[in-house]
Amino acid sequence: MKVTILGSSGQIGAYLTEYLRKKGHEVIEFDKTHDERHDMTVIPNIKLHGAIHQSDFVFFLAFDVGGSHYLKKYQHTFKFLDNNARMMVNAFEYIQKYNKPFVFASSQMSNMSYSPYGVVKRVGELYTKSLNGLIVKFWNVYGIEKDMEKAHVITDFIVKGFETGNIDMMTDGTEEREFLYAEDCCEALETVMQEYTAFTSSDELHITSGISTSILEIARNIQSLFKEIGKEVDVSPSPSKDEVQKDARNVPDPYIKKWWQSKTSITDGIKKVFTEMKKNYD
């Protein structure tokens, strides 16, 4: 199958590109880090038009987003909102024009009206429903990241451990999250693509492990990995509470478990990421 991945260099997109190619799919990569002409905020975009036109299936993973540091700093800005609005208008127009089957990557934060990020994801869900596409909701997917300005908590903590010897936290770490290793996420996305006609736009497809872990536990887990390689790293919680999600807790819909379930434990997943990132410091 010829698959276009919008946001193919992103945290999930890079893993999915490699994963689908190994499975024998032809992947059309689309990301502005590959080619400036792939900037989805430019309307109209001839390259985007062509990529969607020639594809059999589209994964809409492109978004201006990052971890808590990034969202706290940028999600209330005009540029953040404008970038994401433009990407959606651009892509959905071509998807509608050529009636392509597609998956829109949303977030479990899409019901959090106080979060601009959650609101724009909700808009993407409404576009998707109008076109009868499928919506997947990611719950804190983690893996290797290239853009550390947008780094999420696990890679952020690992970098801090290597570079400063101190995992200084944004919060007190008591908030809990459900984390999912990127390769498990890829398997879920391929499953949704293969079983596309079994789902509808109204189905709640929550891509998550179903297991909650506190941010402080994540920090302690990473601290122990540093100890195993002989490096002492401190963990420094902040007195602040979670300002991005305001410690809101959603409950994932288990519907997708009829077709897919995660396999990688948080301990094993973090160790894989840690081992790979360690190569940059050896």
Side-chain angles (χ1 to χ4, degrees):
M1 185 178 289
K2 187 179 290 187
V3 182
T4 290
I5 300 178
L6 306 179
S8 58
S9 290
Q11 182 194 30
I12 299 170
Y15 274 91
L16 185 61
T17 297
E18 181 179 0
Y19 179 90
L20 291 179
R21 281 179 174 155
K22 286 181 178 178
K23 288 299 191 78
H25 298 285
E26 180 182 345
V27 176
I28 301 170
E29 296 188 57
F30 202 92
D31 198 295
K32 68 178 182 180
T33 62
H34 287 305
D35 189 329
E36 290 183 359
R37 295 172 296 175
H38 289 189
D39 186 348
M40 290 175 59
T41 67
V42 176
I43 303 173
N45 187 310
I46 295 174
K47 287 288 185 179
L48 179 61
H49 174 279
I52 291 175
H53 185 207
Q54 65 180 304
S55 63
D56 299 314
F57 196 93
V58 178
F59 282 105
F60 191 161
L61 306 181
F63 227 68
D64 181 3
V65 69
S68 293
H69 282 288
Y70 187 82
L71 287 180
K72 183 178 179 181
K73 185 175 182 180
Y74 292 112
Q75 71 170 335
H76 291 275
T77 66
F78 170 83
K79 194 65 175 175
F80 177 88
L81 296 170
D82 190 52
N83 281 346
N84 286 313
R86 284 173 169 272
M87 284 191 279
M88 288 192 293
V89 167
N90 221 354
F92 285 128
E93 178 184 356
Y94 297 133
I95 289 170
Q96 186 272 337
K97 182 175 182 178
Y98 294 110
N99 193 30
K100 296 295 182 179
F102 74 101
V103 164
F104 174 68
S106 188
S107 165
Q108 58 96 13
M109 290 179 65
S110 66
N111 68 345
M112 299 179 184
S113 60
Y114 50 80
S115 165
Y117 167 66
V119 171
V120 289
K121 282 294 190 182
R122 177 59 181 153
V123 170
E125 291 179 6
L126 295 174
Y127 267 114
T128 301
K129 287 186 177 184
S130 75
L131 297 175
N132 297 314
L134 298 182
I135 299 161
V136 296
K137 294 190 178 185
F138 293 143
W139 286 58
N140 304 292
V141 179
Y142 66 95
I144 301 299
E145 298 185 78
K146 299 176 183 177
D147 186 348
M148 293 312 297
E149 183 189 14
K150 295 186 174 183
H152 295 73
V153 62
I154 290 174
T155 47
D156 182 49
F157 283 0
I158 293 172
V159 167
K160 286 178 177 178
F162 277 114
E163 296 187 355
T164 71
N166 181 35
I167 300 174
D168 61 309
M169 301 169 59
M170 288 178 59
T171 68
D172 60 9
T174 57
E175 70 274 22
E176 294 189 356
R177 302 280 188 270
E178 293 188 14
F179 291 90
L180 181 72
Y181 185 50
E183 289 184 6
D184 286 357
C185 180
C186 293
E187 185 179 82
L189 291 173
E190 184 191 29
T191 298
V192 171
M193 179 176 69
Q194 291 176 330
E195 303 291 338
Y196 191 78
T197 57
F199 304 112
T200 72
S201 295
S202 297
D203 289 331
E204 292 285 335
L205 304 178
H206 289 241
I207 311 299
T208 182
S209 64
I211 299 173
S212 294
T213 308
S214 76
I215 301 303
L216 187 56
E217 287 179 284
I218 294 294
R220 297 296 186 198
N221 184 312
I222 293 170
Q223 182 185 43
S224 68
L225 290 173
F226 276 108
K227 190 172 183 178
E228 288 178 11
I229 64 171
K231 183 177 176 63
E232 292 297 323
V233 168
D234 295 323
V235 172
S236 303
S238 162
S240 302
K241 292 294 183 179
D242 173 28
E243 295 181 19
V244 175
Q245 293 192 34
K246 300 185 184 298
D247 208 18
R249 295 289 301 277
N250 286 320
V251 177
D253 190 304
Y255 182 64
I256 198 172
K257 288 186 177 181
K258 296 178 184 178
W259 291 269
W260 165 88
Q261 292 189 51
S262 64
K263 298 175 181 176
T264 309
S265 70
I266 186 67
T267 301
D268 290 343
I270 290 177
K271 189 168 185 177
K272 288 181 180 182
V273 175
F274 180 89
T275 301
E276 189 64 27
M277 291 181 68
K278 179 177 176 292
K279 295 175 183 178
N280 295 325
Y281 297 93
D282 288 340

